[in-house]
Amino acid sequence: MVMLFCLLISGCMSWVEAGGQALNGTAFVERTLALYRNEAGIQVQAVQDKAGKQSLIITTDEFPTVTVRATQAAPDGRFYLSSLSFLCSSNSGWNEWTMKLSGTGVFQGRYVMALHINNPIEPKDITEGKILYNTKRLIGEDALKSLKSRRDRILVLIKWMHEQPEKPTFTNRQEFESYWRPIVLPELAAAKQRPQSWNTENAVFEQAEDIKWNTTYTASVFHEELWTLRNSGSLLRDWEEAGDWIYFQYRWDDLVQVLTKDYNVAKLKG
């Protein structure tokens, strides 16, 4: 309970990182060989598992719930990205998943290491994950199926968001939610917060998830592939259960931009 509370507030990112390690078991099977960090919040951890396999774990303070894993750097410094892990909480639980990642980079030096990840970084399929919703916990194939479906829905929503004109730049999730939630879910917003396109005159409503959805608004504002998702309440569930995931996916290009800059990181341990 303490851990879940901490995940819900800012300033507890070390709990998030530790929670992610505990959830996927890596905290118990790997040991740190070396640790590097810089003032920009970029950290590289060289680890080794019980079988002797070594790899790199790359994190950034700007995206504290994201962990990028790569192969051990070769003698010439080259490495290959292998996966990205993500953990987010909600009032009802959490979503944790790992997906394959395609990309290359260079990590070389001695006490001060030069880190460079090449662009593009290509996301692949989710390969594993876990879900907690209230007292219900999903693991294995059940969790994987649910997480993949949720990601598909989120990607459709994000595509539509990025295509909308005159949207502001967001510096945090609160700004993001304040802007987008009344547009995506105006039925749940105060009247003065609803968009100008909201209209109930001659509108048709359908009830789902105890909400009467304005299907006329849905058809006039959203892509057709979002109609059923909104009118069925699926987008509402995603927003409530995976709001941080939606915000993270919206900022995917920002994550890539952060990761693909040139950095020097100083050795702290090992």
Side-chain angles (χ1 to χ4, degrees), residues 86 88 97 147 150-151 154 242-249:
F86 178 78
C88 72
W97 49 260
L147 289 165
R150 172 157 283 167
R151 183 182 181 223
I154 290 175
D244 283 336
W245 186 352
I246 294 173
Y247 179 58
F248 162 69
Q249 201 66 61

Side-chain angles (χ1 to χ4, degrees), residues 15-244:
W15 278 83
V16 175
E17 294 162 3
Q21 291 177 343
L23 290 170
N24 63 30
T26 57
F28 310 109
V29 298
E30 292 181 325
R31 65 184 183 92
T32 299
L33 301 177
L35 182 65
Y36 307 83
R37 188 174 173 85
N38 65 15
E39 293 182 353
I42 301 296
Q43 181 171 291
V44 181
Q45 185 180 9
V47 299
Q48 179 175 293
D49 64 19
K50 288 185 176 180
K53 182 180 179 181
Q54 296 183 20
S55 57
L56 300 175
I57 297 175
I58 303 166
T59 58
T60 168
D61 286 354
E62 188 167 348
F63 292 86
T65 59
V66 174
T67 300
V68 174
R69 186 175 288 266
T71 61
Q72 178 186 11
D76 62 0
R78 287 183 297 175
F79 63 79
Y80 296 89
L81 301 180
S82 55
S83 66
L84 180 148
S85 296
F86 178 78
L87 172 67
C88 72
S89 66
S90 70
N91 291 329
S92 56
W94 43 254
N95 296 266
E96 182 207 11
W97 49 260
T98 297
M99 70 178 179
K100 289 184 178 180
L101 210 59
S102 177
T104 60
V106 176
F107 187 58
Q108 58 185 354
R110 191 173 181 184
Y111 296 106
V112 176
M113 304 287 286
L115 172 68
H116 175 76
I117 299 176
N118 297 313
N119 200 345
I121 298 174
E122 187 176 354
K124 302 290 187 178
D125 290 337
I126 293 178
T127 57
E128 61 179 322
K130 301 179 182 72
I131 300 172
L132 176 67
Y133 180 69
N134 293 327
T135 59
K136 183 179 180 180
R137 178 169 176 160
L138 294 180
I139 60 175
E141 288 300 320
D142 290 337
L144 188 58
K145 181 179 179 180
S146 181
L147 289 165
K148 285 184 175 181
S149 295
R150 172 157 283 167
R151 183 182 181 223
D152 289 342
R153 295 193 300 269
I154 290 175
L155 289 175
V156 171
L157 176 63
I158 296 306
K159 178 183 177 183
W160 171 82
M161 286 179 169
H162 281 308
E163 292 175 354
Q164 302 313 298
E166 300 179 357
K167 53 188 176 294
T169 300
F170 308 105
T171 60
N172 55 58
R173 186 195 160 187
Q174 288 70 34
E175 293 177 355
F176 174 82
E177 179 151 343
S178 295
Y179 179 82
W180 283 114
R181 185 180 173 93
I183 297 174
V184 177
L185 305 168
E187 290 86 353
L188 304 181
K192 62 181 180 180
Q193 295 177 326
R194 290 170 177 164
Q196 293 182 350
S197 53
W198 173 263
N199 191 347
T200 58
E201 186 176 354
N202 298 320
V204 177
F205 290 82
E206 291 183 8
Q207 184 159 335
E209 299 290 327
D210 298 323
I211 304 292
K212 289 185 177 180
W213 302 101
N214 186 335
T215 62
T216 305
Y217 172 82
T218 302
S220 66
V221 173
F222 296 90
H223 294 163
E224 186 172 354
E225 54 190 336
L226 282 167
W227 291 359
T228 300
L229 299 180
R230 206 188 89 84
N231 296 337
S232 67
S234 292
L235 288 185
L236 170 61
R237 291 195 302 273
D238 290 337
W239 205 283
E240 291 181 340
E241 298 172 20
D244 283 336

